[in-house]
């Protein structure tokens, strides 16, 4: 496969830096909102169930707008859409503390979720184009920036939570977000999106009229959906561990609340480390072996995390799971984008968010029917499923 680079090398470097900044900003803003959820709950007077329904607004808004964002990227370009969505994300994060009821909170979170989902499609699509031109598997590095931004946002939120109200904290995030967007967005808008020229026609969007989206061959669409299913399996595990790991450690293994809170931190840290080393891993093993090995590792790690008889063994299991899942979502989204452009990114991301939306309630229902440790083994089952899908579609995905 030969690729023609249409952007100077120095511009590619500046483009990579700008996109990395937007990935980090996305994680920073989202984590800043998450750490203030308890205070917002108290402010709105919402019950646990009402808050849960309101929080669905984030995922619902993201899923609803992702396919539309793919079309907007085709029409206006991924760089412009990224900058506009970053502005909307920065502005909308200040809305939740202005609400005083669960329905109002759900409504503003729908807006916040729409901006969050849209920017994810836009900058992932831009990153896919850059990966195609550089011909290096650097996609995990962008997602590592998201993870690092999230850790920084959560840490900062924890530090200021005692001294700042949610209103001033989230307004501060708005100011930071707009300033970062002004600086990084200026660079992004000055650079034309790189356009790799590939020989394989099935990996290139078909010609289309200016008034409509590009038609996608059925075989290509099937492969895009396949990679979307891998993203779903990964996001299911992320959502499940975010919501249930602390409860498992505290209730099933009798950990103290402080130790229980470390569970997700171990998982998130391991994912960040896995993504920082993802490019080297992909260059050494290739995409298929990385997907198969990652899914298998995550399955074994989650079995340990769910069924271990001690807290420390469970924490080790969570870390192994994070290392295994780290590169599955970035690789799945990148492959979908290479096959079908922004529409491919949108399909894979929508399925991924569907998995994140499905995971926590599915774990809850299974925990009621069986037990929480048994329910958490479903994360291992889906990670193994992702590995099997990657292995079975190896030849088809290679073209």
């Amino acid at each position: 496969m030969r690729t023609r680079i249409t952007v100077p090398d120095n511009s590619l470097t500046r483009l990579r830096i700008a996109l990395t900044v937007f990935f980090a900003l996305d994680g920073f803003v989202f984590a800043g909102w998450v750490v203030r959820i308890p205070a917002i709950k108290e402010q709105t007077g919402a019950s646990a169930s009402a808050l849960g329904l309101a929080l669905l607004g984030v995922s619902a808004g993201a899923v609803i707008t992702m396919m539309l964002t793919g079309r907007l990227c085709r029409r206006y370009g991924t760089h412009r859409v990224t900058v506009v969505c970053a502005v909307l994300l920065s502005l909308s994060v200040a809305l939740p503390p202005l609400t005083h009821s669960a329905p109002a909170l759900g409504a503003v979170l729908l807006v916040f979720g729409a901006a969050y989902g849209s920017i994810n499609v836009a900058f992932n699509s831009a990153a896919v184009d850059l990966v195609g031109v550089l011909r290096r598997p650097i996609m995990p590095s962008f997602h590592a920036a998201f993870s690092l931004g999230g850790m920084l946002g959560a840490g900062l939120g924890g530090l200021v939570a005692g001294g700042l109200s949610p209103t001033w904290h989230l307004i501060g995030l708005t100011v930071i977000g707009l300033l970062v967007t002004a600086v990084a967005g200026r660079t992004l808008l000055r650079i034309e999106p790189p356009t790799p020229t590939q020989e394989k026609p099935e990996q290139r969007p078909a010609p289309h009229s200016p008034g409509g989206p590009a038609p996608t061959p059925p075989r290509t669409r099937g492969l895009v959906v396949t990679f979307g299913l891998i993203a779903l399996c990964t996001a299911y595990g992320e959502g499940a561990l975010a919501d249930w790991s602390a409860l498992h450690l505290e209730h099933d293994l009798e950990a103290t609340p402080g130790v229980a809170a470390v569970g997700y931190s171990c998982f998130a840290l391991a994912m960040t480390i896995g993504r920082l080393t993802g490019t080297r891993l992909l260059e050494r093993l290739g995409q298929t072996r990385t997907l198969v090995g990652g899914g298998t590792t995550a399955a074994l790690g989650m079995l340990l995390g769910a069924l271990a008889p001690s807290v420390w063994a469970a924490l080790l299991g969570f870390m192994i799971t994070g290392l295994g899942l780290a590169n599955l979502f970035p690789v799945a989204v990148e492959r979908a984008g290479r096959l079908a452009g922004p529409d491919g990114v949108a399909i894979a991301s929508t399925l991924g968010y569907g998995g994140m939306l499905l995971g926590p309630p599915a774990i809850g229902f299974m925990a009621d029917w069986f037990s929480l440790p048994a329910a958490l083994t479903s994360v291992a089952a889906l990670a193994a499923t992702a590995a099997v899908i990657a292995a079975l579609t190896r030849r088809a995905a290679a073209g």
Side-chain angles (χ1 to χ4, degrees):
M1 184 187 300
R2 293 177 298 182
T3 303
R4 176 172 55 87
I5 297 178
T6 60
V7 181
D9 287 345
N10 61 336
S11 294
L12 294 178
T13 300
R14 288 188 291 117
L15 175 57
R16 181 176 180 181
I17 293 171
L19 287 175
T20 300
V21 169
F22 277 111
F23 272 85
L25 176 65
D26 187 42
F28 178 80
V29 170
F30 188 78
W33 141 249
V34 167
V35 299
R36 300 317 296 255
I37 289 177
I40 300 296
K41 178 182 182 297
E42 183 177 349
Q43 175 181 304
T44 58
S47 65
S49 58
L51 178 66
L53 289 174
L55 292 176
L56 286 178
V58 178
S59 297
V63 169
I64 289 170
T65 56
M66 279 178 166
M67 293 305 299
L68 172 62
T69 305
R71 297 190 181 99
L72 291 175
C73 287
R74 286 194 177 279
R75 182 164 184 175
Y76 298 107
T78 56
H79 294 183
R80 290 181 183 177
V81 176
T82 295
V83 173
V84 170
C85 290
V87 172
L88 294 176
L89 181 72
S90 300
L91 292 174
S92 62
V93 76
L95 297 178
L98 304 180
T99 61
H100 297 281
S101 68
L105 178 62
V108 301
L109 289 182
L110 197 68
V111 177
F112 177 67
Y116 179 69
S118 296
I119 194 173
N120 272 268
V121 171
F123 60 40
N124 271 296
S125 298
V128 167
D129 290 339
L130 181 58
V131 169
V133 167
L134 293 177
R135 301 180 67 184
R136 289 195 65 214
I138 62 171
M139 198 70 172
S141 68
F142 292 118
H143 287 259
F146 172 85
S147 298
L148 288 171
M151 294 174 68
L152 180 61
L156 178 63
L159 288 175
V160 305
L164 282 180
S165 68
T167 301
W168 286 111
H169 176 198
L170 296 186
I171 287 176
L173 292 185
T174 294
V175 174
I176 293 172
L178 292 176
L179 289 175
V180 171
T181 300
V183 175
R186 187 178 180 184
T187 299
L188 198 61
L189 292 175
R190 286 181 171 181
I191 302 174
E192 284 295 318
T195 52
T197 302
Q198 298 170 324
E199 289 183 344
K200 295 185 178 182
E202 68 273 12
Q203 292 185 325
R204 191 170 58 240
H208 62 287
S209 63
T216 304
R219 177 178 178 273
T220 299
R221 180 170 288 273
L223 284 173
V224 168
V225 171
T226 296
F227 285 109
L229 291 176
I230 293 175
L232 183 153
C233 293
T234 305
Y236 177 96
E238 290 187 52
L241 281 165
D243 285 14
W244 293 101
S245 58
L247 192 65
H248 169 57
L249 292 172
E250 188 171 346
H251 286 193
D252 297 317
L253 299 178
E254 300 181 349
T256 64
V259 172
V262 172
Y264 183 70
S265 298
C266 289
F267 171 77
L269 178 61
M271 281 200 82
T272 303
I273 294 171
R275 286 172 171 175
L276 287 172
T277 58
T279 296
R280 181 171 296 181
L281 186 69
L282 284 163
E283 287 177 334
R284 206 170 261 192
L285 300 181
Q287 289 180 336
T288 298
R289 283 192 287 178
T290 298
L291 290 173
V292 173
T296 303
T297 300
L300 295 174
M302 198 59 226
L303 286 176
L304 176 62
L307 304 178
S310 70
V311 171
W312 303 113
L315 291 175
L316 176 62
F318 290 162
M319 293 191 70
I320 295 172
T321 303
L323 289 172
L325 292 180
N327 296 304
L328 268 64
F329 192 94
V331 171
V333 169
E334 191 267 334
R335 290 294 291 127
R338 291 291 295 277
L339 287 165
D343 288 343
V345 173
I347 291 171
S349 298
T350 300
L351 286 169
Y353 272 84
M356 190 168 289
L357 186 65
L358 172 67
I363 295 291
F365 282 119
M366 285 186 285
D368 285 339
W369 294 336
F370 308 107
S371 68
L372 183 53
L376 287 173
T377 61
S378 65
V379 175
L382 285 185
T385 299
V388 171
I389 292 173
L392 292 178
T393 60
R394 175 177 58 85
R395 291 187 179 181

